[in-house]
Amino acid sequence: WSYIGYWGDHQIIYLLKFLEFMEDHAPGKLSSYFDKERFVYANVPYRIKAYLDTLKNPKDTIEFDHELDQKIRLEKESSGADGALLRDENGNIYTVTFIEKILATVLAKLSNFIPEGGIWMNTQRPEWNDANNALVGNGVSVVTLCYLRRFLSFFKKILPASELEHAGISTELAVFFNSVSQTLKSHRHLLSGKMNDHDRQRILDGLGEAGSTYRTHIYSRPFSGSKQAVSLEEIGQFIDLSLQYLEHTIDANKRPDHLYHAYNLMTPESGDKISISHLSEMLEGQVAVLSSKYLSAQEALMLLDSLKKSKLFRPDQYSYLLYPNRDLPGFLVKNSLPSAAVGQSTLLTQLVSDGNVDIIEKDIAGVHHFNGNFKNANDLNAALNELSKTKYAPLVEQDKKQVLQIFEDIFHHKAFTGRSGTFFGYEGLGSIYWHMVSKLQLAVLECCLKAVDEGESPEHTGKLLAHYYEINEGIGVHKSPSLYGAFPTDPYSHTPAGKGAQQPGMTGQVKEDILSRFGELGVFVNDGQLHFNPCLLRGSEFLEEAKIFEYVDVHQEHRQLPLEKGSLCFTYCQVPVVYTLATENSLTAIYKNNTSTTSNQLNLDARASREIFGRTGEVVQINVQIKASTLR
């Protein structure tokens, strides 16, 4: 079951990418599922604790239901994979609409939304970057929030295109939806400025209790099977309101240097308050906010200019680190208490005076240290509890909170991220993680295309594109083996400081690189039609001499295609596409029966596009003539 619920940010952004592709290739297909009860829930034997228990100890929030696990395994033996699906009170596999599945996904995230903080990472395995997994409990993700913003923007766009007015959702989910919606509505006035810690907790309380009530209900009894109609207009209004909260939080996480926070820390304070503190800059945060499609071209450019000047830029590889490199102090240096801190605590002062080393010790140089056996605050707390059984009981009662705070001030355990703050390899300090660099490249490509679509000034678009190609040149495939530290034609996981590229393998980086390359070539699908708009393509890509292009067609036959000087060729769904420079744009599609069609529009109609997507072999070649003035 360990694969269930992992990678909180990926649950949103990777699902969304597929949905975006689907809508582009088959417009209206998604909306046709809005009211179709063809979707199911997995019956996962994990139990997320109630909201108040989570708030009390956010690092211990999941319990495993061993009895349910055994029951599901027996079901799978008799009915296969269907045995792991949730059933209704009549024992039937419970089916719901596409609208319900999407709402359930969104509400799961929004019920953990902390205003100006992000999405609370309290489920023990929270994000893609497991080098940061020690943030579990107190960590709050701006990364997931940015992807959620793009997710909701997508549905805001496709909802009005549906002819439906209503869709059915489970009565239980409707209660959850209404509770979250009401919480957001009743605090909408707070979006006009910066929130205080008290208001922040009030909002989280409303959202968290809504999610908790829903979970507790579903855990204790099956879905009733009762459905409630919800209007698409109401869902649209909910999306608009949610976007206001998410965008308010993105704005609140802009740093003075125009970069954005990636992860924050939440701290429950006395008096029903939740405070937010920030961690150092991370590349993930910049990729996420660029991918959110929220920033204007000018804001994206300011971010990229700042990124190039930041501690995340690594000049020797002309690329970007996941986190800034830093020198880590040794334990004896870190575990040193200022004399003033000791003097402020009557308990610590008395222990030192008495020579009691259960909590604190003074070395021969006069420097105070906490007991070196303490691994964390729990160990200190246990030692204080033992001390409370002695003559020090009144002082422990008086100073316990203060001593625990001094311990946190010394070690900053709440800000401990995991490997990312202690290792120097893998996804650690001073290390380039190439998959994230390729994610950055794709995000910047999307910003360039957005700038072109929105008619931004050539100056802004050109500067964005300069950043794109600089990032592209920094990726391994463009480097010499001596600089890259490995054969550059292979994808590698990471490059630590002082070493070449490490861990070869088919990393996730490859898919972003492929998507980026098609973006450079100007290949797009919109409204079910294949479009060519090489607005970012460089003139240097075209051949300086005639060559033979070799490819494998849809029938798995090896083919050769002569290319003239000044042309460029690639395949799309195994169909060769030949670009040549001309004075006017035109497109010619050549079919297998030797007929052809020509248009001055650089797109194929829906029928021809479907033939290509389906790899039917009907279209055997596409020739695109491009005005030379459109190239970079």
Side-chain angles (χ1 to χ4, degrees), residues 58 157 312 536 579 584 591:
K157 183 174 66 175
L312 294 173
L536 309 182
Y579 283 179
E584 295 295 334
Y591 297 87

mmCIF file with all atom_site columns, all heavy atoms in Angstrom, residues 58 157 312 536 579 584 591:
data_model
loop_
_atom_site.group_PDB
_atom_site.id
_atom_site.type_symbol
_atom_site.label_atom_id
_atom_site.label_alt_id
_atom_site.label_comp_id
_atom_site.label_asym_id
_atom_site.label_entity_id
_atom_site.label_seq_id
_atom_site.pdbx_PDB_ins_code
_atom_site.Cartn_x
_atom_site.Cartn_y
_atom_site.Cartn_z
_atom_site.occupancy
_atom_site.B_iso_or_equiv
_atom_site.pdbx_formal_charge
_atom_site.auth_seq_id
_atom_site.auth_comp_id
_atom_site.auth_asym_id
_atom_site.auth_atom_id
_atom_site.pdbx_PDB_model_num
ATOM 1  N N   . PRO A 1 58  ? 1.556   16.740 14.731  1.00 0.00 ? 58  PRO A N   1
ATOM 2  C CA  . PRO A 1 58  ? 1.473   16.617 13.264  1.00 0.00 ? 58  PRO A CA  1
ATOM 3  C C   . PRO A 1 58  ? 2.502   15.666 12.659  1.00 0.00 ? 58  PRO A C   1
ATOM 4  O O   . PRO A 1 58  ? 2.475   15.432 11.461  1.00 0.00 ? 58  PRO A O   1
ATOM 5  C CB  . PRO A 1 58  ? 1.688   18.051 12.781  1.00 0.00 ? 58  PRO A CB  1
ATOM 6  C CG  . PRO A 1 58  ? 2.435   18.728 13.876  1.00 0.00 ? 58  PRO A CG  1
ATOM 7  C CD  . PRO A 1 58  ? 1.972   18.093 15.145  1.00 0.00 ? 58  PRO A CD  1
ATOM 8  N N   . LYS A 1 157 ? -11.580 26.967 -16.748 1.00 0.00 ? 157 LYS A N   1
ATOM 9  C CA  . LYS A 1 157 ? -11.694 27.193 -18.186 1.00 0.00 ? 157 LYS A CA  1
ATOM 10 C C   . LYS A 1 157 ? -12.636 26.189 -18.852 1.00 0.00 ? 157 LYS A C   1
ATOM 11 O O   . LYS A 1 157 ? -13.399 26.551 -19.760 1.00 0.00 ? 157 LYS A O   1
ATOM 12 C CB  . LYS A 1 157 ? -10.302 27.107 -18.827 1.00 0.00 ? 157 LYS A CB  1
ATOM 13 C CG  . LYS A 1 157 ? -10.274 27.407 -20.320 1.00 0.00 ? 157 LYS A CG  1
ATOM 14 C CD  . LYS A 1 157 ? -8.846  27.443 -20.844 1.00 0.00 ? 157 LYS A CD  1
ATOM 15 C CE  . LYS A 1 157 ? -8.181  26.093 -20.759 1.00 0.00 ? 157 LYS A CE  1
ATOM 16 N NZ  . LYS A 1 157 ? -6.824  26.087 -21.365 1.00 0.00 ? 157 LYS A NZ  1
ATOM 17 N N   . LEU A 1 312 ? 21.696  29.829 -5.796  1.00 0.00 ? 312 LEU A N   1
ATOM 18 C CA  . LEU A 1 312 ? 21.294  28.583 -6.457  1.00 0.00 ? 312 LEU A CA  1
ATOM 19 C C   . LEU A 1 312 ? 22.009  28.370 -7.788  1.00 0.00 ? 312 LEU A C   1
ATOM 20 O O   . LEU A 1 312 ? 22.007  27.255 -8.320  1.00 0.00 ? 312 LEU A O   1
ATOM 21 C CB  . LEU A 1 312 ? 19.773  28.578 -6.697  1.00 0.00 ? 312 LEU A CB  1
ATOM 22 C CG  . LEU A 1 312 ? 18.897  28.554 -5.445  1.00 0.00 ? 312 LEU A CG  1
ATOM 23 C CD1 . LEU A 1 312 ? 17.429  28.718 -5.818  1.00 0.00 ? 312 LEU A CD1 1
ATOM 24 C CD2 . LEU A 1 312 ? 19.105  27.265 -4.660  1.00 0.00 ? 312 LEU A CD2 1
ATOM 25 N N   . LEU A 1 536 ? 9.695   30.163 -31.227 1.00 0.00 ? 536 LEU A N   1
ATOM 26 C CA  . LEU A 1 536 ? 10.877  30.187 -30.370 1.00 0.00 ? 536 LEU A CA  1
ATOM 27 C C   . LEU A 1 536 ? 12.089  29.538 -31.040 1.00 0.00 ? 536 LEU A C   1
ATOM 28 O O   . LEU A 1 536 ? 13.171  29.491 -30.452 1.00 0.00 ? 536 LEU A O   1
ATOM 29 C CB  . LEU A 1 536 ? 10.589  29.450 -29.045 1.00 0.00 ? 536 LEU A CB  1
ATOM 30 C CG  . LEU A 1 536 ? 9.324   29.859 -28.285 1.00 0.00 ? 536 LEU A CG  1
ATOM 31 C CD1 . LEU A 1 536 ? 9.213   29.067 -26.992 1.00 0.00 ? 536 LEU A CD1 1
ATOM 32 C CD2 . LEU A 1 536 ? 9.323   31.351 -27.992 1.00 0.00 ? 536 LEU A CD2 1
ATOM 33 N N   . TYR A 1 579 ? 10.601  21.299 -42.188 1.00 0.00 ? 579 TYR A N   1
ATOM 34 C CA  . TYR A 1 579 ? 10.528  22.766 -42.186 1.00 0.00 ? 579 TYR A CA  1
ATOM 35 C C   . TYR A 1 579 ? 11.495  23.303 -43.243 1.00 0.00 ? 579 TYR A C   1
ATOM 36 O O   . TYR A 1 579 ? 12.656  22.869 -43.316 1.00 0.00 ? 579 TYR A O   1
ATOM 37 C CB  . TYR A 1 579 ? 10.978  23.325 -40.830 1.00 0.00 ? 579 TYR A CB  1
ATOM 38 C CG  . TYR A 1 579 ? 9.979   23.232 -39.693 1.00 0.00 ? 579 TYR A CG  1
ATOM 39 C CD1 . TYR A 1 579 ? 10.335  23.701 -38.423 1.00 0.00 ? 579 TYR A CD1 1
ATOM 40 C CD2 . TYR A 1 579 ? 8.716   22.699 -39.859 1.00 0.00 ? 579 TYR A CD2 1
ATOM 41 C CE1 . TYR A 1 579 ? 9.444   23.632 -37.359 1.00 0.00 ? 579 TYR A CE1 1
ATOM 42 C CE2 . TYR A 1 579 ? 7.822   22.630 -38.809 1.00 0.00 ? 579 TYR A CE2 1
ATOM 43 C CZ  . TYR A 1 579 ? 8.192   23.095 -37.553 1.00 0.00 ? 579 TYR A CZ  1
ATOM 44 O OH  . TYR A 1 579 ? 7.309   23.025 -36.505 1.00 0.00 ? 579 TYR A OH  1
ATOM 45 N N   . GLU A 1 584 ? 6.575   33.259 -47.269 1.00 0.00 ? 584 GLU A N   1
ATOM 46 C CA  . GLU A 1 584 ? 5.231   33.181 -46.703 1.00 0.00 ? 584 GLU A CA  1
ATOM 47 C C   . GLU A 1 584 ? 5.029   31.812 -46.064 1.00 0.00 ? 584 GLU A C   1
ATOM 48 O O   . GLU A 1 584 ? 5.642   30.827 -46.476 1.00 0.00 ? 584 GLU A O   1
ATOM 49 C CB  . GLU A 1 584 ? 4.158   33.395 -47.791 1.00 0.00 ? 584 GLU A CB  1
ATOM 50 C CG  . GLU A 1 584 ? 4.170   34.789 -48.406 1.00 0.00 ? 584 GLU A CG  1
ATOM 51 C CD  . GLU A 1 584 ? 3.805   35.891 -47.415 1.00 0.00 ? 584 GLU A CD  1
ATOM 52 O OE1 . GLU A 1 584 ? 3.080   35.590 -46.440 1.00 0.00 ? 584 GLU A OE1 1
ATOM 53 O OE2 . GLU A 1 584 ? 4.245   37.030 -47.615 1.00 0.00 ? 584 GLU A OE2 1
ATOM 54 N N   . TYR A 1 591 ? -0.453  12.475 -48.495 1.00 0.00 ? 591 TYR A N   1
ATOM 55 C CA  . TYR A 1 591 ? -1.144  11.261 -48.058 1.00 0.00 ? 591 TYR A CA  1
ATOM 56 C C   . TYR A 1 591 ? -0.585  10.033 -48.770 1.00 0.00 ? 591 TYR A C   1
ATOM 57 O O   . TYR A 1 591 ? 0.119   10.132 -49.791 1.00 0.00 ? 591 TYR A O   1
ATOM 58 C CB  . TYR A 1 591 ? -2.645  11.398 -48.316 1.00 0.00 ? 591 TYR A CB  1
ATOM 59 C CG  . TYR A 1 591 ? -3.270  12.525 -47.507 1.00 0.00 ? 591 TYR A CG  1
ATOM 60 C CD1 . TYR A 1 591 ? -3.285  13.834 -48.004 1.00 0.00 ? 591 TYR A CD1 1
ATOM 61 C CD2 . TYR A 1 591 ? -3.801  12.288 -46.251 1.00 0.00 ? 591 TYR A CD2 1
ATOM 62 C CE1 . TYR A 1 591 ? -3.828  14.874 -47.257 1.00 0.00 ? 591 TYR A CE1 1
ATOM 63 C CE2 . TYR A 1 591 ? -4.358  13.316 -45.498 1.00 0.00 ? 591 TYR A CE2 1
ATOM 64 C CZ  . TYR A 1 591 ? -4.355  14.612 -46.008 1.00 0.00 ? 591 TYR A CZ  1
ATOM 65 O OH  . TYR A 1 591 ? -4.890  15.639 -45.266 1.00 0.00 ? 591 TYR A OH  1
#
